[in-house]
Amino acid sequence: MPSIEQLTRLLEAEPNDPFLMYGIAQEHLKGGNFDEAVAWFDRTIAADPAHGYAYFHKARALEAAGRREQAIETLRAGIGVARGAGDQKAWSELAGYLDELE
């Protein structure tokens, strides 16, 4: 995976690319920068509201940051999005994670 710096440079050329935003969020999550990861997952969702896995990993970042209730809310929102998009795989993974937290 490219570094945050590389992804940021690419994003400068394509400022509305949710894939690049998601990559930056994932790198922050891997680095333990949970609040920064959440902010980047929010940007990803704003750019592509149907991005089911952004909700999943945003919930992971929230849970890791000790914000369990917000993680649950995020998973519920993601389930609605995945269901609306007909994304059974994302829906299943979001629902499974929600079951773990509830």
Side-chain angles (χ1 to χ4, degrees):
M1 183 86 172
S3 70
I4 291 172
E5 293 77 22
Q6 291 168 319
L7 290 167
T8 301
R9 280 195 301 276
L10 291 169
L11 189 62
E12 288 172 3
E14 296 288 336
N16 297 315
D17 188 329
F19 179 76
L20 294 171
M21 294 174 197
Y22 181 76
I24 293 169
Q26 287 285 51
E27 289 302 303
H28 282 294
L29 180 58
K30 286 192 310 192
N33 303 317
F34 305 123
D35 290 336
E36 194 67 25
V38 168
W40 280 99
F41 286 125
D42 282 341
R43 286 184 65 178
T44 303
I45 292 165
D48 180 6
H51 197 302
Y53 289 101
Y55 292 89
F56 182 92
H57 291 287
K58 176 183 175 184
R60 283 184 56 219
L62 288 164
E63 181 188 17
R67 296 159 58 188
R68 188 172 175 274
E69 288 304 314
Q70 287 178 295
I72 289 170
E73 291 172 19
T74 297
L75 290 168
R76 287 182 180 148
I79 287 169
V81 166
R83 185 178 294 136
D87 187 343
Q88 183 64 34
K89 184 171 176 4
W91 177 87
S92 176
E93 292 183 26
L94 288 157
Y97 188 15
L98 180 61
D99 286 345
E100 290 176 26
L101 292 183
E102 288 187 314

